[in-house]
């Protein structure tokens, strides 16, 4: 199945969307236990959320990279996610989207969120032709994310391990059956027009 090059695909309900992050156990374990980030989580730092499970696996090496051993699925409000998209700026200058480089720099400085489109990944973590959204949250967006948008936090490290083991054993159908369903997220052209290169 072919996908448009820039399209958000994510597990979602009528009111929530699931994104992924990976942390060291001292952050990830209490977050999953308590349903919120612990005091050690820094609101002043930019935090990147990813709606694609497989892109998160690529980024964290199936939860094996140092400091990314605990993989979290965070269910957040769609209202919050859409707010972040509406207030985001592309992380790089794109002719046709921005008037000029100076315009992009102004937008980037003011925006509380930024967007990167990176190649989506297959089960072997190889790049695919279409892109996956990475959404960076800073300042107001980061605070809203931590304090208002999170509905639930689930530790999915064991799922990551099981998918990795199935792939390593050559059981791609078994691995695929473990993946979360990530249908097209109904963001709409108006919400994404300023974020599509």
């Amino acid at each position: 199945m072919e996908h448009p090059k820039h399209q958000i695909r994510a597990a979602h309900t009528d009111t929530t969307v699931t994104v992924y992050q990976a942390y060291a156990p001292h952050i990830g374990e209490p977050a999953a236990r308590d349903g919120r980030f612990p005091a050690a989580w820094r609101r002043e730092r930019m935090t990147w959320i990813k709606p694609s499970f497989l892109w998160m696996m690529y980024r964290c090496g199936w939860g094996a990279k140092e400091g990314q051993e605990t993989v979290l699925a965070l269910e957040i409000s769609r209202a919050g996610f859409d707010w972040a998209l509406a207030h985001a700026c592309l992380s790089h200058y794109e002719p046709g989207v921005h008037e000029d480089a100076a315009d992009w720099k102004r937008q980037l400085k003011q925006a509380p969120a930024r967007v990167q489109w990176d190649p989506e990944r297959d089960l072997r973590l190889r790049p695919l032709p279409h892109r996956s959204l990475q959404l960076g949250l800073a300042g107001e967006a980061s605070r809203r994310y931590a304090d208002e948008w999170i509905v639930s936090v689930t530790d999915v490290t064991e799922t990551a391990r099981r998918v990795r083991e199935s792939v390593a054993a050559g059981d791609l159908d078994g691995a695929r059956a473990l993946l979360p369903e990530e249908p097209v997220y109904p963001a709409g052209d108006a919400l994404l027009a300023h974020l599509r290169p």
Side-chain angles (χ1 to χ4, degrees):
M1 176 183 174
E2 285 197 15
H3 296 278
K5 188 169 183 180
H6 300 94
Q7 179 187 64
I8 301 174
R9 294 164 302 279
H12 62 274
T13 69
D14 288 343
T15 57
T16 65
V17 58
T18 299
V19 296
Y20 299 93
Q21 295 191 290
Y23 288 100
H26 78 280
I27 299 286
E29 289 175 3
R33 181 187 66 231
D34 301 331
R36 64 183 185 276
F37 289 116
W41 191 83
R42 300 287 179 227
R43 282 167 175 73
E44 64 273 11
R45 293 181 59 185
M46 177 165 285
T47 190
W48 289 88
I49 59 177
K50 304 138 182 90
S52 166
F53 179 83
L54 283 176
W55 203 94
M56 184 71 257
M57 295 306 97
Y58 165 73
R59 180 69 180 84
C60 72
W62 301 103
K65 289 185 179 178
E66 185 177 355
Q68 300 184 59
E69 300 92 344
T70 306
V71 184
L72 301 178
L74 300 107
E75 196 177 19
I76 65 173
S77 74
R78 277 180 56 171
F81 186 70
D82 288 355
W83 182 93
L85 291 172
H87 291 83
C89 176
L90 284 172
S91 62
H92 63 280
Y93 167 60
E94 187 67 41
V97 175
H98 309 106
E99 288 180 21
D100 52 36
D103 173 57
W104 166 70
K105 286 181 181 176
R106 278 192 301 275
Q107 289 185 33
L108 190 67
K109 189 173 183 181
Q110 296 170 354
R114 61 187 58 176
V115 160
Q116 288 182 190
W117 295 96
D118 296 308
E120 182 59 281
R121 301 285 158 164
D122 68 9
L123 275 167
R124 297 190 189 277
L125 306 185
R126 298 173 299 199
L128 293 169
H130 55 282
R131 301 282 169 150
S132 178
L133 176 87
Q134 322 308 321
L135 184 57
L137 308 174
E140 182 183 2
S142 179
R143 291 190 297 273
R144 286 182 179 224
Y145 171 61
D147 299 330
E148 300 173 21
W149 300 346
I150 294 175
V151 175
S152 69
V153 183
T154 305
D155 185 337
V156 292
T157 310
E158 179 62 18
T159 299
R161 184 188 64 78
R162 290 173 60 207
V163 174
R164 182 193 69 221
E165 289 176 352
S166 295
V167 171
D171 181 12
L172 298 188
D173 288 339
R176 202 169 285 110
L178 296 168
L179 296 176
E181 288 189 30
E182 294 173 354
V184 175
Y185 181 75
D189 289 338
L191 193 57
L192 294 181
H194 67 297
L195 299 173
R196 283 183 172 139

